[in-house]
Amino acid sequence: MINLLVISHSDLAHGLLSAAGLIVGEVPHAASMGLYPGKAFDEFVAEVGEKIKSMDEGDGVLVLVDLFGGTPSNATLYSRGALGDSVNYKVVSGANLPMLLEAHIAREGMTLDELKDHCVAQGADGVKDVFKELGF
């Protein structure tokens, strides 16, 4: 099974995983990490790398980060240097609840690359003008 890791600034990742659990029940094989004030970048990179490595059970890890170019995103990039090809993981930025729900629901029937592409599409599709969608 593809494992899911959500990483964000502060508590957003924890909140997304908690909200997903409220909607679909328990979200197994998933974890969250937050970046908090005072955490050194090198230390965070090491923690992210260790978490990704510990979560790879063979099918890979899909990492959802909050902001492209932000510290959580950059930490996954820098972790790549230490992990190399020993861990199969992909990273998608712009983490949101529709993306996380789709990742959870679809991950058993897809490869890691397919799931990554699916989440990029579903994350973007989850952004709507609610009034326009409902004809107001």
Side-chain angles (χ1 to χ4, degrees):
M1 173 175 286
I2 297 169
N3 287 330
L4 305 174
L5 176 59
V6 186
I7 309 174
S8 71
H9 294 84
S10 193
D11 295 326
L12 179 62
H14 306 304
L16 286 172
L17 199 52
S18 176
L22 180 66
I23 294 168
V24 298
E26 182 184 355
V27 183
H29 302 278
S32 59
M33 295 179 71
L35 171 66
Y36 299 96
K39 177 67 72 175
F41 180 71
D42 290 343
E43 183 180 355
F44 191 63
V45 168
E47 290 173 3
V48 166
E50 284 302 313
K51 188 65 169 179
I52 293 170
K53 185 176 181 179
S54 74
M55 291 183 73
D56 185 10
E57 298 174 337
D59 292 325
V61 180
L62 181 64
V63 183
L64 306 177
V65 298
D66 58 352
L67 183 66
F68 177 77
T71 301
S73 175
N74 291 340
T76 64
L77 179 63
Y78 278 79
S79 294
R80 189 86 179 158
L83 296 173
D85 293 331
S86 68
V87 178
N88 185 19
Y89 75 101
K90 303 293 180 186
V91 183
V92 175
S93 66
N96 59 41
L97 190 54
M99 180 189 293
L100 177 56
L101 290 169
E102 283 294 324
H104 168 62
I105 293 165
R107 64 182 157 165
E108 288 192 47
M110 295 185 174
T111 66
L112 183 57
D113 280 325
E114 291 169 340
L115 184 61
K116 171 197 48 102
D117 292 342
H118 181 69
C119 286
V120 168
Q122 292 301 311
D125 192 51
V127 178
K128 307 268 188 212
D129 176 336
V130 173
F131 288 170
K132 183 177 178 181
E133 289 292 318
L134 298 175
F136 291 101

